[in-house]
Amino acid sequence: MQSLQSLHTFALPANCQKLVRITMSEQLHTVDFCQPFFILGEGSNCVFLNDFEGTVIQMANRGIDVKELDDYYLVHVAAGENWHQLVMKLLEMGIAGLENLALIPGTIGAAPVQNIGAYGVELADVFSHLVGFNIDEQTFETLDKSACQFGYRDSVFKQALQGRFVITEVVLKLPKQWQPVLEYGPLRDLQNTEVDAKQVAQRVMQIRRSKLPDPELCANAGSFFKNPVVSREVAKTLCERYQNMPTYPVDDEKVKLAAGWLIEQAGLKGHRIGGIRVYDKQALVLVNDEQGDGEELLAMITYIQKTVFDKFMVELIPEVRLIGCSGEFSKGVEHG
Ligand code: FAD
Ligand code: EPU
């Protein structure tokens, strides 16, 4: 038995039968994938609800290699490297492009899984290709950007390749000609000033620290639900009723709503069930600040989904990956 409490940032009490740390990708050939298994990075986007009856495979391989070409850099990074440390290291080397994604917890290997994004940039914007282990074929393969099928908090690794592919290396493509991305609300006031990438990173970190709890100090897993994407008609009806409701156009037919706003307007900020609480500075974040357990968290998820659905007729789907005793819940928790 191995405790998982310190291996996921939501820090629920849970164990697994066996933990294997992968420090060299070739080790994957020796793993028994016939038993239940779960691939883990730094555990900042998954929650172990109770004991996992299988092997947890933690990606801990290291290495960063920067190749300079005429117009851009190709940055090869091993899956076990820490994302934020990479962002800072590249900025120190004078390589820009990841500054809007500063302070996102977790590993490089997990970044393509949900196509991490923040402040107007997502991984897909800076992605070249990746290498990983195809579990069915027992071979290493290279996948280009189109094969990864990136979407909003989505990729092929959450769909057809879920549980079938271990990402071992990610290659980023960062143009030398830097263009700051300052369209996201709180960054707009930088638009009229001369800024460099380090200053953008500083501003992003300042905003994030003011809204998001540090998992080292207060157990959490970031945004708990995805921002719901609805049809234009649904958004229009809601906007007529709630005139200050934030909306973000996705395409000609779809509009994204702000789940944090919906949860706050449903009166749930600060709501507590056992050890789990809706964070008061950002209602999209749940915190485990009083030693909660998996049952309390499930009760909280269902209560939030039901309350928001009853008020707005909008369904919230967890962004965080929920792991039960035999593996991941297939589609998160549907509202009751
Ligand atoms: P884990 O939680 O360990 O794993 C996440 C999923 O990826 C699991 O399903 C796992 O099986 C799979 N996985 C992990 N590694 C691999 C691999 N090598 N190969 C195949 N599958 C793998 N996310 C954002 O997008 N934007 C944000 O702004 C953001 N802010 C956050 C703020 C806080 C305070 C916290 C706690 C989280 C935040 N997140 C954010 C979520 C999280 O940081 C990202 O999803 C991150 O990429 C998770 O990395 P990890 O190594 O911790 O992954
Ligand atoms: N809002 C409220 N009340 C709240 C929270 C938010 O009214 O309690 C409103 C805000 O005022 C704003 C809107 O909702 O008008 C959006 O809020 P915010 O800018 O804080 O972003 P978010 O939609 O809550 C998303 C990502 C974050 C990412 C930020 C910045 C998702 C699920 N979450 O949050 O990612 O850092 O944008 O780009 O897309 C994560 O995935 O874990 C994560 C933290």
Side-chain angles (χ1 to χ4, degrees), residues 123-279:
L123 182 84
D125 300 325
V126 292
F127 181 86
S128 169
H129 60 278
L130 59 74
V131 181
F133 188 70
N134 181 322
I135 294 170
D136 299 333
E137 305 294 331
Q138 295 280 299
T139 52
F140 286 93
E141 284 176 12
T142 298
L143 300 189
D144 66 11
K145 189 161 152 180
S146 71
C148 292
Q149 298 172 19
F150 290 124
Y152 164 61
R153 296 293 190 272
D154 199 19
S155 74
V156 72
F157 310 105
K158 286 175 90 170
Q159 306 292 337
L161 290 183
Q162 182 173 335
R164 300 171 67 187
F165 197 87
V166 186
I167 297 164
T168 54
E169 181 187 90
V170 178
V171 183
L172 305 174
K173 181 176 175 177
L174 300 170
K176 289 183 178 175
Q177 193 101 42
W178 179 63
Q179 281 292 340
V181 179
L182 303 172
E183 280 72 42
Y184 195 89
L187 296 182
R188 274 195 209 131
D189 59 326
L190 293 178
Q191 279 175 355
N192 301 324
T193 54
E194 280 272 308
V195 280
D196 62 24
K198 278 189 184 172
Q199 287 165 317
V200 177
Q202 287 306 327
R203 176 62 69 89
V204 166
M205 290 192 279
Q206 185 189 19
I207 300 164
R208 292 183 67 98
R209 287 191 176 112
S210 71
K211 290 188 185 182
L212 296 167
D214 177 351
E216 295 281 329
L217 307 174
C218 179
N220 79 93
S223 298
F224 212 92
F225 299 94
K226 289 191 223 179
N227 283 330
V229 176
V230 300
S231 68
R232 278 197 176 264
E233 296 79 71
V234 168
K236 186 164 171 276
T237 310
L238 285 168
C239 284
E240 279 162 11
R241 190 139 178 222
Y242 305 100
Q243 275 147 27
N244 61 345
M245 185 181 78
T247 55
Y248 310 91
V250 174
D251 55 32
D252 289 348
E253 285 159 27
K254 301 280 183 195
V255 174
K256 202 192 276 176
L257 308 180
W261 186 90
L262 298 171
I263 297 169
E264 178 171 359
Q265 295 303 312
L268 294 172
K269 230 176 196 182
H271 185 74
R272 174 179 289 287
I273 296 181
I276 315 293
R277 184 167 57 96
V278 180
Y279 193 54

Side-chain angles (χ1 to χ4, degrees), residues 282-313:
Q282 227 295 4
L284 191 45
V285 175
L286 303 183
V287 295
N288 168 25
D289 61 346
E290 290 198 8
Q291 296 172 24
D293 61 30
E295 270 184 35
E296 291 163 356
L297 176 61
L298 283 176
M300 177 66 99
I301 294 169
T302 309
Y303 185 69
I304 292 172
Q305 287 175 318
K306 184 172 180 338
T307 310
V308 167
F309 190 81
D310 288 349
K311 187 171 169 73
F312 299 105
M313 295 273 282

